[in-house]
Amino acid sequence: MLRSDAGEAAAALPPVARLVLTGEAGYYIVTGLWPVLHMGSFEAITGPKVDDWLVKMVGLLAATIGSTLAVAVRHRRWGAEVRTLAILSALSFAAIDLRYALSGRISPIYLADAVVELMIIALLGTTILLARRRSA
């Protein structure tokens, strides 16, 4: 068992979680940097945007989350803070995607992102539940 910086026991990173977190990290880095690097192609797929600066800010935040998850995977971290960041980030993106794509405010292409985010939540949630059952 690993020890966190605070000295408390840290859970080992399960192989499935490692795979999902690696995918989530890469997905957030790529999709986050995309509008920053080439807004034209981003808008061609996702539709026109009013506030480019806001799209770029959200993109940079997504890339930051992805980078943080990548660091966690690299160091085999699976503590509460990593689980919380991974699941709540996916939940936040899915909630916005569903709310605004279903109402017609944003492009239906965002429903595809919602599916990805919900799969991340399901896979990580299942991994957490199985780990708890094994340790009980």
Side-chain angles (χ1 to χ4, degrees), residues 43-134:
E43 287 183 314
I45 300 298
T46 64
K49 306 295 183 257
V50 175
D51 293 318
D52 288 358
W53 71 269
L54 184 57
V55 174
K56 291 177 180 181
M57 185 67 230
V58 171
L60 289 172
L61 289 171
T64 299
I65 294 166
S67 298
T68 303
L69 294 175
V71 169
V73 169
R74 173 100 169 110
H75 293 282
R76 292 176 162 58
R77 301 286 187 185
W78 183 236
E81 62 280 356
V82 175
R83 295 188 304 267
T84 301
L85 179 63
I87 292 172
L88 289 183
S89 296
L91 184 61
S92 298
F93 283 120
I96 292 298
D97 290 342
L98 291 169
R99 165 69 174 88
Y100 291 100
L102 292 174
S103 72
R105 177 73 175 92
I106 60 176
S107 169
I109 194 69
Y110 284 94
L111 294 174
D113 181 66
V115 169
V116 172
E117 305 296 349
L118 293 171
M119 287 179 4
I120 290 168
I121 294 164
L123 290 167
L124 291 178
T126 301
T127 301
I128 292 166
L129 290 174
L130 290 175
R132 286 186 180 162
R133 283 188 184 165
R134 280 189 213 114

